[in-house]
Amino acid sequence: MNKLFYPALFHKAEEDGFWVSFPDLPECLTQGDDMTQAYEMAVDALGLALTCREKEQQPFPAPSDPTAILPEPDAFLVVIEFDMLAYKKRTNSRAVKKTLSIPGWLNEAAMSMDLNFSQILQEALLAKIQA
């Protein structure tokens, strides 16, 4: 469930840029000065809306079929690709202390090599999660 695809409507702003809405997430609105910024802001807004739903233990809405959406005359449809794991990595870097046990011989060998236990554990956990 890491990659999600939601349709978004990009509306031409009265001045420069675009404002963006999501048919499946009415609370999710954003804007950008140009197409690139509007797309990037849409990804962030989608991430915020979905993580809020996740924290409140609300289900994610099923993405609408893009072919079933008829944009208004001032809008066009863009499908936003969203990677939940990448978003969480980028936005939640708060460190959490964990206590763990390893054999003494492994601890001594790793320390003699100046290995960073935290970094190795993070890399191993990410590899497991992404598998």
Side-chain angles (χ1 to χ4, degrees):
M1 184 196 77
N2 286 333
K3 289 224 177 169
L4 303 167
F5 299 88
Y6 277 92
L9 292 169
F10 280 59
H11 307 263
K12 189 72 177 140
E14 288 182 19
E15 296 186 14
D16 291 335
F18 301 91
W19 65 275
V20 184
S21 63
F22 289 84
D24 302 311
L25 297 151
E27 73 275 15
C28 189
L29 299 168
T30 191
Q31 65 184 26
D33 294 335
D34 56 33
M35 184 65 184
T36 301
Q37 186 183 49
Y39 186 89
E40 290 169 356
M41 295 297 288
V43 172
D44 280 344
L46 181 59
L48 183 59
L50 292 176
T51 54
C52 284
R53 283 179 178 245
E54 187 177 61
K55 284 178 187 171
E56 294 171 1
Q57 298 180 344
Q58 295 178 352
F60 294 170
S64 295
D65 178 357
T67 61
I69 298 171
L70 298 172
E72 297 170 9
D74 74 328
F76 57 93
L77 186 81
V78 175
V79 175
I80 305 295
E81 177 183 357
F82 179 73
D83 185 331
M84 182 64 86
L85 185 58
Y87 179 81
K88 285 182 177 181
K89 281 194 272 185
R90 187 168 45 90
T91 59
N92 187 5
S93 59
R94 179 181 60 91
V96 177
K97 186 172 182 162
K98 291 289 181 187
T99 303
L100 58 106
S101 300
I102 59 172
W105 67 267
L106 186 57
N107 182 57
E108 290 172 20
M111 289 185 64
S112 71
M113 296 176 66
D114 289 326
L115 296 179
N116 183 322
F117 287 81
S118 294
Q119 180 181 358
I120 292 169
L121 178 58
Q122 287 178 44
E123 290 169 356
L125 289 171
L126 281 171
K128 278 284 195 192
I129 291 169
Q130 293 172 341

